[in-house]
Amino acid sequence: MLLSGLVLYGLSSGLIIQAGLGVDPWDVLHQGLARTFGGQVGTWAILASVAVLVLWLPLRARFGVGTLANALLVGLCINLTVWLVPAPHALVPQGAMLVAAVALNAFATGLYIGAGFGPGPRDGLTTAIAARGHSIRAVRTVIEVTVLAVGWLLGGSVGVGTVLYAVAIGPLTHITIPLFALEPVRPRSRRPGRPRS
């Protein structure tokens, strides 16, 4: 579930980029960095993930194997998708790709979070700051507006896709995250009276 979710998340992000109608706030930043300094969007996503993980250190946030896998795999899959999938140039296929990609993104989010191997770097930063007595909604809003503004100033794409993602991803993941959440594995208890071997 973890690996499938991360691969599909990177695929969906790459498809949103290729749709060419605007990308989600963090990819606005990644795209702006790529356009300003060169390199690929997915590579900047990896570098941004590493930078965010550094911010975890003073917050003493705990990360899991899923956190590290997220930091690496999503960016690699974004690069692969952008390389393999041609960008459509007509509005109808662009819109269809965008809508399908946002839905796939929500599905992928449910998978990788439901696997229970730790939050992604950006989600973990939000919850770590919120744990210090702040509203999680306010923290997430401030972070995403900040990266969106910086990314836009650097030349990242803001458009209808950005708005669709912002409006749709919350309600969609409200369905997919509980849908795919796994029960924690509990150790088996020994039968009463059974001697140890």
mmCIF file of all heavy atoms in Angstrom, residues 58-81:
data_model
loop_
_atom_site.group_PDB
_atom_site.id
_atom_site.type_symbol
_atom_site.label_atom_id
_atom_site.label_comp_id
_atom_site.label_asym_id
_atom_site.label_seq_id
_atom_site.Cartn_x
_atom_site.Cartn_y
_atom_site.Cartn_z
ATOM 1 N N PRO A 58 14.254 20.710 14.899
ATOM 2 C CA PRO A 58 13.989 21.482 16.117
ATOM 3 C C PRO A 58 12.608 21.215 16.713
ATOM 4 O O PRO A 58 12.379 21.482 17.892
ATOM 5 C CB PRO A 58 14.113 22.941 15.647
ATOM 6 C CG PRO A 58 13.899 22.898 14.189
ATOM 7 C CD PRO A 58 14.446 21.585 13.730
ATOM 8 N N LEU A 59 11.694 20.691 15.891
ATOM 9 C CA LEU A 59 10.349 20.374 16.384
ATOM 10 C C LEU A 59 10.287 18.998 17.039
ATOM 11 O O LEU A 59 9.264 18.615 17.602
ATOM 12 C CB LEU A 59 9.339 20.432 15.224
ATOM 13 C CG LEU A 59 9.185 21.797 14.550
ATOM 14 C CD1 LEU A 59 8.344 21.670 13.285
ATOM 15 C CD2 LEU A 59 8.561 22.801 15.505
ATOM 16 N N ARG A 60 11.390 18.242 16.911
ATOM 17 C CA ARG A 60 11.499 16.896 17.477
ATOM 18 C C ARG A 60 10.377 15.974 17.001
ATOM 19 O O ARG A 60 9.834 15.180 17.767
ATOM 20 C CB ARG A 60 11.525 16.952 19.010
ATOM 21 C CG ARG A 60 12.727 17.713 19.549
ATOM 22 C CD ARG A 60 12.771 17.720 21.052
ATOM 23 N NE ARG A 60 13.941 18.437 21.537
ATOM 24 C CZ ARG A 60 14.206 18.622 22.831
ATOM 25 N NH1 ARG A 60 13.380 18.143 23.754
ATOM 26 N NH2 ARG A 60 15.293 19.275 23.195
ATOM 27 N N ALA A 61 10.037 16.119 15.735
ATOM 28 C CA ALA A 61 9.004 15.266 15.145
ATOM 29 C C ALA A 61 9.602 13.909 14.783
ATOM 30 O O ALA A 61 10.768 13.821 14.391
ATOM 31 C CB ALA A 61 8.426 15.939 13.911
ATOM 32 N N ARG A 62 8.798 12.872 14.935
ATOM 33 C CA ARG A 62 9.264 11.519 14.600
ATOM 34 C C ARG A 62 8.819 11.156 13.190
ATOM 35 O O ARG A 62 7.687 11.405 12.812
ATOM 36 C CB ARG A 62 8.681 10.513 15.593
ATOM 37 C CG ARG A 62 9.180 10.698 17.007
ATOM 38 C CD ARG A 62 8.609 9.638 17.921
ATOM 39 N NE ARG A 62 9.093 9.786 19.278
ATOM 40 C CZ ARG A 62 8.757 8.966 20.280
ATOM 41 N NH1 ARG A 62 7.916 7.971 20.064
ATOM 42 N NH2 ARG A 62 9.242 9.166 21.483
ATOM 43 N N PHE A 63 9.731 10.583 12.440
ATOM 44 C CA PHE A 63 9.372 10.159 11.093
ATOM 45 C C PHE A 63 9.519 8.655 10.967
ATOM 46 O O PHE A 63 10.211 8.013 11.762
ATOM 47 C CB PHE A 63 10.207 10.875 10.027
ATOM 48 C CG PHE A 63 11.696 10.711 10.184
ATOM 49 C CD1 PHE A 63 12.336 9.603 9.677
ATOM 50 C CD2 PHE A 63 12.444 11.684 10.825
ATOM 51 C CE1 PHE A 63 13.698 9.452 9.808
ATOM 52 C CE2 PHE A 63 13.807 11.553 10.965
ATOM 53 C CZ PHE A 63 14.441 10.427 10.457
ATOM 54 N N GLY A 64 8.834 8.096 9.976
ATOM 55 C CA GLY A 64 8.891 6.660 9.731
ATOM 56 C C GLY A 64 9.487 6.370 8.373
ATOM 57 O O GLY A 64 9.875 7.285 7.629
ATOM 58 N N VAL A 65 9.533 5.102 8.035
ATOM 59 C CA VAL A 65 10.087 4.706 6.741
ATOM 60 C C VAL A 65 9.250 5.297 5.613
ATOM 61 O O VAL A 65 9.767 5.634 4.540
ATOM 62 C CB VAL A 65 10.161 3.161 6.633
ATOM 63 C CG1 VAL A 65 8.766 2.527 6.678
ATOM 64 C CG2 VAL A 65 10.881 2.729 5.363
ATOM 65 N N GLY A 66 7.943 5.472 5.849
ATOM 66 C CA GLY A 66 7.085 6.075 4.841
ATOM 67 C C GLY A 66 7.447 7.516 4.566
ATOM 68 O O GLY A 66 7.304 7.998 3.436
ATOM 69 N N THR A 67 7.933 8.218 5.583
ATOM 70 C CA THR A 67 8.346 9.614 5.424
ATOM 71 C C THR A 67 9.528 9.710 4.459
ATOM 72 O O THR A 67 9.547 10.538 3.543
ATOM 73 C CB THR A 67 8.734 10.212 6.785
ATOM 74 O OG1 THR A 67 7.697 9.969 7.727
ATOM 75 C CG2 THR A 67 8.994 11.697 6.673
ATOM 76 N N LEU A 68 10.517 8.844 4.672
ATOM 77 C CA LEU A 68 11.710 8.856 3.826
ATOM 78 C C LEU A 68 11.389 8.381 2.413
ATOM 79 O O LEU A 68 11.884 8.940 1.429
ATOM 80 C CB LEU A 68 12.794 7.973 4.457
ATOM 81 C CG LEU A 68 13.254 8.402 5.857
ATOM 82 C CD1 LEU A 68 14.279 7.416 6.400
ATOM 83 C CD2 LEU A 68 13.830 9.816 5.832
ATOM 84 N N ALA A 69 10.542 7.342 2.318
ATOM 85 C CA ALA A 69 10.146 6.844 1.000
ATOM 86 C C ALA A 69 9.378 7.917 0.233
ATOM 87 O O ALA A 69 9.563 8.095 -0.973
ATOM 88 C CB ALA A 69 9.294 5.587 1.151
ATOM 89 N N ASN A 70 8.533 8.651 0.940
ATOM 90 C CA ASN A 70 7.776 9.737 0.327
ATOM 91 C C ASN A 70 8.710 10.796 -0.245
ATOM 92 O O ASN A 70 8.537 11.251 -1.381
ATOM 93 C CB ASN A 70 6.849 10.357 1.385
ATOM 94 C CG ASN A 70 5.945 11.436 0.831
ATOM 95 O OD1 ASN A 70 6.399 12.410 0.257
ATOM 96 N ND2 ASN A 70 4.650 11.282 1.043
ATOM 97 N N ALA A 71 9.708 11.167 0.543
ATOM 98 C CA ALA A 71 10.631 12.223 0.128
ATOM 99 C C ALA A 71 11.344 11.877 -1.178
ATOM 100 O O ALA A 71 11.640 12.762 -1.990
ATOM 101 C CB ALA A 71 11.655 12.481 1.231
ATOM 102 N N LEU A 72 11.604 10.600 -1.411
ATOM 103 C CA LEU A 72 12.363 10.179 -2.598
ATOM 104 C C LEU A 72 11.472 9.755 -3.763
ATOM 105 O O LEU A 72 11.622 10.230 -4.887
ATOM 106 C CB LEU A 72 13.302 9.035 -2.220
ATOM 107 C CG LEU A 72 14.177 8.473 -3.347
ATOM 108 C CD1 LEU A 72 15.127 9.544 -3.870
ATOM 109 C CD2 LEU A 72 14.965 7.261 -2.857
ATOM 110 N N LEU A 73 10.499 8.872 -3.497
ATOM 111 C CA LEU A 73 9.752 8.235 -4.583
ATOM 112 C C LEU A 73 8.825 9.185 -5.323
ATOM 113 O O LEU A 73 8.696 9.103 -6.543
ATOM 114 C CB LEU A 73 8.931 7.055 -4.041
ATOM 115 C CG LEU A 73 9.680 5.754 -3.785
ATOM 116 C CD1 LEU A 73 8.738 4.703 -3.250
ATOM 117 C CD2 LEU A 73 10.316 5.258 -5.082
ATOM 118 N N VAL A 74 8.161 10.070 -4.595
ATOM 119 C CA VAL A 74 7.198 10.955 -5.261
ATOM 120 C C VAL A 74 7.891 11.804 -6.322
ATOM 121 O O VAL A 74 7.426 11.905 -7.463
ATOM 122 C CB VAL A 74 6.466 11.842 -4.229
ATOM 123 C CG1 VAL A 74 5.646 12.921 -4.930
ATOM 124 C CG2 VAL A 74 5.558 10.987 -3.345
ATOM 125 N N GLY A 75 9.019 12.398 -5.982
ATOM 126 C CA GLY A 75 9.733 13.231 -6.939
ATOM 127 C C GLY A 75 10.224 12.450 -8.148
ATOM 128 O O GLY A 75 10.138 12.922 -9.291
ATOM 129 N N LEU A 76 10.737 11.245 -7.911
ATOM 130 C CA LEU A 76 11.196 10.414 -9.023
ATOM 131 C C LEU A 76 10.049 10.066 -9.965
ATOM 132 O O LEU A 76 10.203 10.093 -11.195
ATOM 133 C CB LEU A 76 11.836 9.123 -8.489
ATOM 134 C CG LEU A 76 13.166 9.280 -7.743
ATOM 135 C CD1 LEU A 76 13.623 7.936 -7.184
ATOM 136 C CD2 LEU A 76 14.236 9.865 -8.662
ATOM 137 N N CYS A 77 8.880 9.754 -9.395
ATOM 138 C CA CYS A 77 7.725 9.398 -10.220
ATOM 139 C C CYS A 77 7.158 10.610 -10.956
ATOM 140 O O CYS A 77 6.635 10.471 -12.062
ATOM 141 C CB CYS A 77 6.649 8.738 -9.353
ATOM 142 S SG CYS A 77 7.124 7.101 -8.756
ATOM 143 N N ILE A 78 7.263 11.799 -10.359
ATOM 144 C CA ILE A 78 6.870 13.018 -11.074
ATOM 145 C C ILE A 78 7.739 13.184 -12.322
ATOM 146 O O ILE A 78 7.235 13.412 -13.427
ATOM 147 C CB ILE A 78 6.988 14.260 -10.170
ATOM 148 C CG1 ILE A 78 5.913 14.255 -9.086
ATOM 149 C CG2 ILE A 78 6.880 15.544 -11.003
ATOM 150 C CD1 ILE A 78 6.065 15.367 -8.061
ATOM 151 N N ASN A 79 9.052 13.062 -12.153
ATOM 152 C CA ASN A 79 9.964 13.207 -13.295
ATOM 153 C C ASN A 79 9.669 12.181 -14.378
ATOM 154 O O ASN A 79 9.664 12.506 -15.576
ATOM 155 C CB ASN A 79 11.416 13.073 -12.837
ATOM 156 C CG ASN A 79 11.921 14.305 -12.115
ATOM 157 O OD1 ASN A 79 11.322 15.373 -12.191
ATOM 158 N ND2 ASN A 79 13.019 14.171 -11.395
ATOM 159 N N LEU A 80 9.430 10.942 -13.965
ATOM 160 C CA LEU A 80 9.167 9.870 -14.933
ATOM 161 C C LEU A 80 7.868 10.135 -15.694
ATOM 162 O O LEU A 80 7.801 9.953 -16.911
ATOM 163 C CB LEU A 80 9.100 8.522 -14.204
ATOM 164 C CG LEU A 80 8.966 7.277 -15.091
ATOM 165 C CD1 LEU A 80 10.163 7.146 -16.022
ATOM 166 C CD2 LEU A 80 8.819 6.025 -14.230
ATOM 167 N N THR A 81 6.845 10.584 -14.979
ATOM 168 C CA THR A 81 5.550 10.858 -15.615
ATOM 169 C C THR A 81 5.653 12.007 -16.602
ATOM 170 O O THR A 81 5.135 11.923 -17.728
ATOM 171 C CB THR A 81 4.491 11.177 -14.544
ATOM 172 O OG1 THR A 81 4.395 10.087 -13.625
ATOM 173 C CG2 THR A 81 3.122 11.417 -15.175
#
